[in-house]
mmCIF file of all heavy atoms in Angstrom:
data_model
loop_
_atom_site.group_PDB
_atom_site.id
_atom_site.type_symbol
_atom_site.label_atom_id
_atom_site.label_comp_id
_atom_site.label_asym_id
_atom_site.label_seq_id
_atom_site.Cartn_x
_atom_site.Cartn_y
_atom_site.Cartn_z
ATOM 1 N N MET Z 17 99.355 -59.211 -20.559
ATOM 2 C CA MET Z 17 98.435 -59.797 -19.719
ATOM 3 C C MET Z 17 97.563 -60.765 -20.666
ATOM 4 O O MET Z 17 97.035 -60.390 -21.628
ATOM 5 C CB MET Z 17 97.499 -58.764 -19.105
ATOM 6 C CG MET Z 17 96.377 -59.311 -18.233
ATOM 7 S SD MET Z 17 95.286 -58.118 -17.516
ATOM 8 C CE MET Z 17 96.273 -57.025 -16.551
ATOM 9 N N ASN Z 18 97.458 -62.001 -20.203
ATOM 10 C CA ASN Z 18 96.697 -62.920 -21.003
ATOM 11 C C ASN Z 18 95.245 -62.858 -20.605
ATOM 12 O O ASN Z 18 94.819 -62.085 -19.712
ATOM 13 C CB ASN Z 18 97.210 -64.388 -20.850
ATOM 14 C CG ASN Z 18 97.079 -64.981 -19.395
ATOM 15 O OD1 ASN Z 18 96.060 -64.636 -18.771
ATOM 16 N ND2 ASN Z 18 97.970 -65.702 -19.006
ATOM 17 N N ASP Z 19 94.270 -63.595 -21.338
ATOM 18 C CA ASP Z 19 92.903 -63.433 -21.203
ATOM 19 C C ASP Z 19 92.485 -63.885 -19.770
ATOM 20 O O ASP Z 19 91.606 -63.271 -19.192
ATOM 21 C CB ASP Z 19 92.114 -64.342 -22.254
ATOM 22 C CG ASP Z 19 92.282 -63.687 -23.629
ATOM 23 O OD1 ASP Z 19 92.500 -62.467 -23.738
ATOM 24 O OD2 ASP Z 19 91.996 -64.458 -24.599
ATOM 25 N N ASN Z 20 93.173 -64.924 -19.267
ATOM 26 C CA ASN Z 20 92.736 -65.477 -18.005
ATOM 27 C C ASN Z 20 93.090 -64.408 -16.864
ATOM 28 O O ASN Z 20 92.218 -64.160 -15.969
ATOM 29 C CB ASN Z 20 93.501 -66.691 -17.667
ATOM 30 C CG ASN Z 20 92.984 -67.510 -16.450
ATOM 31 O OD1 ASN Z 20 91.768 -67.300 -16.165
ATOM 32 N ND2 ASN Z 20 93.723 -68.420 -15.854
ATOM 33 N N GLU Z 21 94.212 -63.794 -16.934
ATOM 34 C CA GLU Z 21 94.663 -62.730 -16.007
ATOM 35 C C GLU Z 21 93.626 -61.547 -16.147
ATOM 36 O O GLU Z 21 93.175 -60.954 -15.022
ATOM 37 C CB GLU Z 21 96.069 -62.211 -16.189
ATOM 38 C CG GLU Z 21 97.098 -63.267 -15.859
ATOM 39 C CD GLU Z 21 98.445 -62.849 -16.203
ATOM 40 O OE1 GLU Z 21 98.614 -62.011 -17.206
ATOM 41 O OE2 GLU Z 21 99.459 -63.264 -15.618
ATOM 42 N N PHE Z 22 93.290 -61.186 -17.344
ATOM 43 C CA PHE Z 22 92.388 -60.050 -17.544
ATOM 44 C C PHE Z 22 90.987 -60.317 -16.861
ATOM 45 O O PHE Z 22 90.432 -59.483 -16.191
ATOM 46 C CB PHE Z 22 92.219 -59.811 -19.039
ATOM 47 C CG PHE Z 22 91.231 -58.649 -19.328
ATOM 48 C CD1 PHE Z 22 91.613 -57.295 -19.150
ATOM 49 C CD2 PHE Z 22 89.916 -59.033 -19.781
ATOM 50 C CE1 PHE Z 22 90.638 -56.409 -19.352
ATOM 51 C CE2 PHE Z 22 88.956 -58.038 -20.017
ATOM 52 C CZ PHE Z 22 89.417 -56.588 -19.793
ATOM 53 N N GLU Z 23 90.514 -61.525 -17.172
ATOM 54 C CA GLU Z 23 89.181 -61.973 -16.524
ATOM 55 C C GLU Z 23 89.258 -61.894 -14.949
ATOM 56 O O GLU Z 23 88.346 -61.468 -14.401
ATOM 57 C CB GLU Z 23 88.804 -63.319 -17.043
ATOM 58 C CG GLU Z 23 88.311 -63.436 -18.468
ATOM 59 C CD GLU Z 23 87.072 -62.426 -18.768
ATOM 60 O OE1 GLU Z 23 86.166 -62.393 -17.948
ATOM 61 O OE2 GLU Z 23 87.035 -61.828 -19.829
ATOM 62 N N THR Z 24 90.434 -62.387 -14.507
ATOM 63 C CA THR Z 24 90.571 -62.363 -12.991
ATOM 64 C C THR Z 24 90.516 -60.916 -12.502
ATOM 65 O O THR Z 24 89.748 -60.648 -11.446
ATOM 66 C CB THR Z 24 91.881 -63.017 -12.520
ATOM 67 O OG1 THR Z 24 91.820 -64.435 -13.072
ATOM 68 C CG2 THR Z 24 92.042 -63.007 -11.097
ATOM 69 N N GLN Z 25 91.273 -60.018 -13.097
ATOM 70 C CA GLN Z 25 91.172 -58.670 -12.713
ATOM 71 C C GLN Z 25 89.921 -57.932 -12.865
ATOM 72 O O GLN Z 25 89.432 -57.224 -12.017
ATOM 73 C CB GLN Z 25 92.298 -57.864 -13.521
ATOM 74 C CG GLN Z 25 93.733 -58.231 -13.245
ATOM 75 C CD GLN Z 25 94.183 -57.587 -11.877
ATOM 76 O OE1 GLN Z 25 93.343 -57.455 -10.967
ATOM 77 N NE2 GLN Z 25 95.436 -57.431 -11.733
ATOM 78 N N LEU Z 26 89.234 -58.299 -13.930
ATOM 79 C CA LEU Z 26 87.933 -57.695 -14.217
ATOM 80 C C LEU Z 26 86.911 -58.135 -13.059
ATOM 81 O O LEU Z 26 86.109 -57.399 -12.620
ATOM 82 C CB LEU Z 26 87.413 -58.141 -15.609
ATOM 83 C CG LEU Z 26 86.112 -57.448 -16.053
ATOM 84 C CD1 LEU Z 26 86.047 -55.936 -16.105
ATOM 85 C CD2 LEU Z 26 85.682 -58.082 -17.406
ATOM 86 N N ASP Z 27 86.984 -59.426 -12.752
ATOM 87 C CA ASP Z 27 86.166 -59.940 -11.634
ATOM 88 C C ASP Z 27 86.423 -59.324 -10.331
ATOM 89 O O ASP Z 27 85.448 -58.923 -9.623
ATOM 90 C CB ASP Z 27 86.363 -61.457 -11.492
ATOM 91 C CG ASP Z 27 85.453 -62.111 -10.570
ATOM 92 O OD1 ASP Z 27 84.192 -61.858 -10.643
ATOM 93 O OD2 ASP Z 27 85.842 -62.871 -9.634
ATOM 94 N N ARG Z 28 87.648 -58.981 -10.040
ATOM 95 C CA ARG Z 28 88.050 -58.270 -8.834
ATOM 96 C C ARG Z 28 87.514 -56.873 -8.816
ATOM 97 O O ARG Z 28 86.949 -56.340 -7.892
ATOM 98 C CB ARG Z 28 89.508 -58.233 -8.586
ATOM 99 C CG ARG Z 28 90.213 -59.601 -8.324
ATOM 100 C CD ARG Z 28 91.612 -59.628 -8.414
ATOM 101 N NE ARG Z 28 92.107 -59.085 -7.197
ATOM 102 C CZ ARG Z 28 93.348 -58.745 -6.954
ATOM 103 N NH1 ARG Z 28 94.257 -58.881 -7.884
ATOM 104 N NH2 ARG Z 28 93.714 -58.252 -5.716
ATOM 105 N N VAL Z 29 87.532 -56.193 -9.922
ATOM 106 C CA VAL Z 29 87.020 -54.843 -10.074
ATOM 107 C C VAL Z 29 85.483 -54.848 -9.802
ATOM 108 O O VAL Z 29 84.924 -54.023 -9.155
ATOM 109 C CB VAL Z 29 87.362 -54.147 -11.424
ATOM 110 C CG1 VAL Z 29 86.536 -52.954 -11.624
ATOM 111 C CG2 VAL Z 29 88.889 -53.992 -11.475
ATOM 112 N N ARG Z 30 84.797 -55.834 -10.382
ATOM 113 C CA ARG Z 30 83.353 -55.947 -10.233
ATOM 114 C C ARG Z 30 82.959 -56.145 -8.793
ATOM 115 O O ARG Z 30 82.087 -55.520 -8.268
ATOM 116 C CB ARG Z 30 82.797 -57.064 -11.126
ATOM 117 C CG ARG Z 30 82.733 -56.711 -12.592
ATOM 118 C CD ARG Z 30 82.073 -57.909 -13.368
ATOM 119 N NE ARG Z 30 82.042 -57.640 -14.734
ATOM 120 C CZ ARG Z 30 82.432 -58.535 -15.686
ATOM 121 N NH1 ARG Z 30 82.835 -59.739 -15.360
ATOM 122 N NH2 ARG Z 30 82.512 -58.131 -16.952
ATOM 123 N N ARG Z 31 83.695 -57.053 -8.114
ATOM 124 C CA ARG Z 31 83.404 -57.291 -6.707
ATOM 125 C C ARG Z 31 83.658 -56.010 -5.905
ATOM 126 O O ARG Z 31 82.988 -55.737 -4.886
ATOM 127 C CB ARG Z 31 84.244 -58.471 -6.179
ATOM 128 C CG ARG Z 31 83.656 -59.859 -6.672
ATOM 129 C CD ARG Z 31 84.453 -60.963 -6.078
ATOM 130 N NE ARG Z 31 85.739 -60.931 -6.675
ATOM 131 C CZ ARG Z 31 86.780 -61.685 -6.335
ATOM 132 N NH1 ARG Z 31 86.569 -62.569 -5.300
ATOM 133 N NH2 ARG Z 31 87.916 -61.666 -6.871
ATOM 134 N N ALA Z 32 84.740 -55.291 -6.161
ATOM 135 C CA ALA Z 32 85.077 -54.014 -5.452
ATOM 136 C C ALA Z 32 83.990 -52.995 -5.658
ATOM 137 O O ALA Z 32 83.583 -52.434 -4.726
ATOM 138 C CB ALA Z 32 86.392 -53.536 -5.955
ATOM 139 N N ALA Z 33 83.441 -52.993 -6.890
ATOM 140 C CA ALA Z 33 82.349 -51.956 -7.173
ATOM 141 C C ALA Z 33 81.121 -52.343 -6.401
ATOM 142 O O ALA Z 33 80.411 -51.463 -5.873
ATOM 143 C CB ALA Z 33 82.120 -52.075 -8.620
ATOM 144 N N GLU Z 34 80.862 -53.670 -6.181
ATOM 145 C CA GLU Z 34 79.680 -54.032 -5.433
ATOM 146 C C GLU Z 34 79.840 -53.589 -3.989
ATOM 147 O O GLU Z 34 78.889 -53.074 -3.329
ATOM 148 C CB GLU Z 34 79.400 -55.559 -5.488
ATOM 149 C CG GLU Z 34 79.004 -56.119 -6.817
ATOM 150 C CD GLU Z 34 79.014 -57.611 -6.829
ATOM 151 O OE1 GLU Z 34 79.212 -58.261 -5.848
ATOM 152 O OE2 GLU Z 34 78.814 -58.135 -7.954
ATOM 153 N N VAL Z 35 80.995 -53.817 -3.363
ATOM 154 C CA VAL Z 35 81.254 -53.313 -2.041
ATOM 155 C C VAL Z 35 81.171 -51.835 -1.930
ATOM 156 O O VAL Z 35 80.519 -51.235 -1.017
ATOM 157 C CB VAL Z 35 82.529 -53.872 -1.435
ATOM 158 C CG1 VAL Z 35 82.932 -53.357 -0.227
ATOM 159 C CG2 VAL Z 35 82.566 -55.385 -1.475
ATOM 160 N N VAL Z 36 81.857 -51.078 -2.783
ATOM 161 C CA VAL Z 36 81.902 -49.634 -2.780
ATOM 162 C C VAL Z 36 80.407 -49.110 -2.925
ATOM 163 O O VAL Z 36 80.074 -48.114 -2.288
ATOM 164 C CB VAL Z 36 82.768 -49.042 -3.810
ATOM 165 C CG1 VAL Z 36 82.700 -47.543 -3.930
ATOM 166 C CG2 VAL Z 36 84.208 -49.487 -3.423
ATOM 167 N N ASN Z 37 79.598 -49.717 -3.660
ATOM 168 C CA ASN Z 37 78.226 -49.296 -3.908
ATOM 169 C C ASN Z 37 77.379 -49.248 -2.601
ATOM 170 O O ASN Z 37 76.348 -48.626 -2.505
ATOM 171 C CB ASN Z 37 77.529 -49.929 -5.035
ATOM 172 C CG ASN Z 37 77.980 -49.498 -6.368
ATOM 173 O OD1 ASN Z 37 78.452 -48.307 -6.422
ATOM 174 N ND2 ASN Z 37 77.922 -50.295 -7.367
ATOM 175 N N THR Z 38 77.819 -50.059 -1.607
ATOM 176 C CA THR Z 38 77.131 -50.112 -0.341
ATOM 177 C C THR Z 38 77.465 -49.058 0.544
ATOM 178 O O THR Z 38 76.769 -48.794 1.630
ATOM 179 C CB THR Z 38 77.305 -51.498 0.410
ATOM 180 O OG1 THR Z 38 78.774 -51.554 0.766
ATOM 181 C CG2 THR Z 38 76.988 -52.692 -0.446
ATOM 182 N N LEU Z 39 78.583 -48.316 0.247
ATOM 183 C CA LEU Z 39 78.960 -47.142 1.083
ATOM 184 C C LEU Z 39 78.107 -45.884 0.789
ATOM 185 O O LEU Z 39 77.500 -45.817 -0.255
ATOM 186 C CB LEU Z 39 80.420 -46.887 0.821
ATOM 187 C CG LEU Z 39 81.441 -47.847 1.015
ATOM 188 C CD1 LEU Z 39 82.794 -47.477 0.508
ATOM 189 C CD2 LEU Z 39 81.508 -48.115 2.537
ATOM 190 N N PRO Z 40 78.150 -45.004 1.742
ATOM 191 C CA PRO Z 40 77.484 -43.701 1.445
ATOM 192 C C PRO Z 40 78.053 -43.023 0.211
ATOM 193 O O PRO Z 40 79.151 -43.087 -0.074
ATOM 194 C CB PRO Z 40 77.714 -42.790 2.743
ATOM 195 C CG PRO Z 40 78.097 -43.870 3.705
ATOM 196 C CD PRO Z 40 78.704 -45.004 3.112
ATOM 197 N N LYS Z 41 77.125 -42.256 -0.488
ATOM 198 C CA LYS Z 41 77.554 -41.596 -1.721
ATOM 199 C C LYS Z 41 78.884 -40.735 -1.673
ATOM 200 O O LYS Z 41 79.619 -40.763 -2.427
ATOM 201 C CB LYS Z 41 76.482 -40.713 -2.286
ATOM 202 C CG LYS Z 41 75.211 -41.435 -2.638
ATOM 203 C CD LYS Z 41 75.435 -42.197 -3.969
ATOM 204 C CE LYS Z 41 74.087 -42.859 -4.359
ATOM 205 N NZ LYS Z 41 74.309 -44.035 -5.196
ATOM 206 N N LYS Z 42 78.943 -40.023 -0.428
ATOM 207 C CA LYS Z 42 80.100 -39.155 -0.258
ATOM 208 C C LYS Z 42 81.411 -39.925 -0.118
ATOM 209 O O LYS Z 42 82.493 -39.327 -0.400
ATOM 210 C CB LYS Z 42 79.853 -38.268 0.963
ATOM 211 C CG LYS Z 42 78.840 -37.211 0.782
ATOM 212 C CD LYS Z 42 78.738 -36.404 2.006
ATOM 213 C CE LYS Z 42 77.708 -35.285 1.893
ATOM 214 N NZ LYS Z 42 77.528 -34.455 3.041
ATOM 215 N N LEU Z 43 81.309 -41.152 0.208
ATOM 216 C CA LEU Z 43 82.600 -42.017 0.426
ATOM 217 C C LEU Z 43 82.904 -42.794 -0.723
ATOM 218 O O LEU Z 43 84.068 -43.383 -0.850
ATOM 219 C CB LEU Z 43 82.428 -42.837 1.670
ATOM 220 C CG LEU Z 43 82.239 -42.080 3.000
ATOM 221 C CD1 LEU Z 43 82.026 -43.106 4.170
ATOM 222 C CD2 LEU Z 43 83.335 -41.173 3.299
ATOM 223 N N GLN Z 44 82.001 -42.999 -1.618
ATOM 224 C CA GLN Z 44 82.225 -43.900 -2.772
ATOM 225 C C GLN Z 44 83.425 -43.530 -3.644
ATOM 226 O O GLN Z 44 84.299 -44.347 -3.939
ATOM 227 C CB GLN Z 44 80.943 -44.068 -3.663
ATOM 228 C CG GLN Z 44 79.845 -44.876 -2.999
ATOM 229 C CD GLN Z 44 78.624 -45.037 -3.778
ATOM 230 O OE1 GLN Z 44 78.563 -44.553 -4.905
ATOM 231 N NE2 GLN Z 44 77.630 -45.672 -3.273
ATOM 232 N N ALA Z 45 83.488 -42.289 -3.988
ATOM 233 C CA ALA Z 45 84.581 -41.784 -4.856
ATOM 234 C C ALA Z 45 85.958 -41.955 -4.198
ATOM 235 O O ALA Z 45 86.880 -42.441 -4.835
ATOM 236 C CB ALA Z 45 84.454 -40.364 -5.302
ATOM 237 N N THR Z 46 85.956 -41.738 -2.874
ATOM 238 C CA THR Z 46 87.224 -41.792 -2.226
ATOM 239 C C THR Z 46 87.592 -43.292 -2.108
ATOM 240 O O THR Z 46 88.837 -43.758 -2.180
ATOM 241 C CB THR Z 46 87.115 -41.271 -0.700
ATOM 242 O OG1 THR Z 46 86.744 -39.873 -0.919
ATOM 243 C CG2 THR Z 46 88.403 -41.392 -0.005
ATOM 244 N N ALA Z 47 86.588 -44.202 -1.876
ATOM 245 C CA ALA Z 47 86.876 -45.598 -1.781
ATOM 246 C C ALA Z 47 87.425 -46.154 -3.074
ATOM 247 O O ALA Z 47 88.416 -46.877 -3.089
ATOM 248 C CB ALA Z 47 85.632 -46.408 -1.405
ATOM 249 N N PHE Z 48 86.959 -45.724 -4.186
ATOM 250 C CA PHE Z 48 87.454 -46.161 -5.474
ATOM 251 C C PHE Z 48 88.876 -45.649 -5.634
ATOM 252 O O PHE Z 48 89.745 -46.419 -6.163
ATOM 253 C CB PHE Z 48 86.615 -45.580 -6.696
ATOM 254 C CG PHE Z 48 85.481 -46.606 -7.058
ATOM 255 C CD1 PHE Z 48 84.230 -46.294 -6.905
ATOM 256 C CD2 PHE Z 48 85.916 -47.832 -7.715
ATOM 257 C CE1 PHE Z 48 83.187 -47.201 -7.318
ATOM 258 C CE2 PHE Z 48 84.923 -48.591 -8.065
ATOM 259 C CZ PHE Z 48 83.644 -48.454 -7.868
ATOM 260 N N GLN Z 49 89.142 -44.373 -5.245
ATOM 261 C CA GLN Z 49 90.561 -43.912 -5.382
ATOM 262 C C GLN Z 49 91.528 -44.728 -4.507
ATOM 263 O O GLN Z 49 92.583 -45.022 -4.978
ATOM 264 C CB GLN Z 49 90.546 -42.446 -4.948
ATOM 265 C CG GLN Z 49 89.953 -41.486 -5.864
ATOM 266 C CD GLN Z 49 89.885 -40.058 -5.414
ATOM 267 O OE1 GLN Z 49 90.043 -39.804 -4.188
ATOM 268 N NE2 GLN Z 49 89.816 -39.049 -6.369
ATOM 269 N N ILE Z 50 91.089 -45.083 -3.387
ATOM 270 C CA ILE Z 50 91.951 -45.959 -2.506
ATOM 271 C C ILE Z 50 92.174 -47.259 -3.126
ATOM 272 O O ILE Z 50 93.325 -47.730 -3.138
ATOM 273 C CB ILE Z 50 91.281 -46.122 -1.082
ATOM 274 C CG1 ILE Z 50 91.325 -44.755 -0.363
ATOM 275 C CG2 ILE Z 50 92.040 -47.210 -0.351
ATOM 276 C CD1 ILE Z 50 90.544 -44.795 0.881
ATOM 277 N N LEU Z 51 91.206 -47.854 -3.678
ATOM 278 C CA LEU Z 51 91.372 -49.180 -4.318
ATOM 279 C C LEU Z 51 92.233 -49.169 -5.484
ATOM 280 O O LEU Z 51 92.902 -50.093 -5.823
ATOM 281 C CB LEU Z 51 89.980 -49.796 -4.652
ATOM 282 C CG LEU Z 51 89.160 -50.238 -3.375
ATOM 283 C CD1 LEU Z 51 87.749 -50.546 -3.919
ATOM 284 C CD2 LEU Z 51 89.741 -51.316 -2.772
ATOM 285 N N PHE Z 52 92.141 -48.126 -6.309
ATOM 286 C CA PHE Z 52 92.818 -48.074 -7.606
ATOM 287 C C PHE Z 52 93.943 -47.053 -7.760
ATOM 288 O O PHE Z 52 94.446 -46.847 -8.883
ATOM 289 C CB PHE Z 52 91.748 -47.957 -8.768
ATOM 290 C CG PHE Z 52 90.723 -48.963 -8.654
ATOM 291 C CD1 PHE Z 52 89.472 -48.743 -8.191
ATOM 292 C CD2 PHE Z 52 91.076 -50.282 -9.049
ATOM 293 C CE1 PHE Z 52 88.526 -49.810 -8.209
ATOM 294 C CE2 PHE Z 52 90.136 -51.294 -9.017
ATOM 295 C CZ PHE Z 52 88.881 -51.068 -8.597
#
């Protein structure tokens, strides 16, 4: 994986984390598992 692909993936993970953080606490872990 080159640096550009890594930065793209990292940006996607950050955006996913922002969305998951808006979910109720009990659902956050499951949402992360589904995503990853």
Side-chain angles (χ1 to χ4, degrees):
M17 179 182 302
N18 65 35
D19 288 342
N20 194 21
E21 290 173 333
F22 178 78
E23 288 298 322
T24 301
Q25 289 288 26
L26 186 60
D27 186 50
R28 291 173 78 192
V29 170
R30 285 184 185 134
R31 285 184 291 171
E34 288 174 10
V35 171
V36 170
N37 282 334
T38 65
L39 297 173
K41 296 284 184 207
K42 289 182 179 179
L43 298 178
Q44 288 180 2
T46 304
F48 268 113
Q49 288 177 339
I50 290 171
L51 288 171
F52 300 108

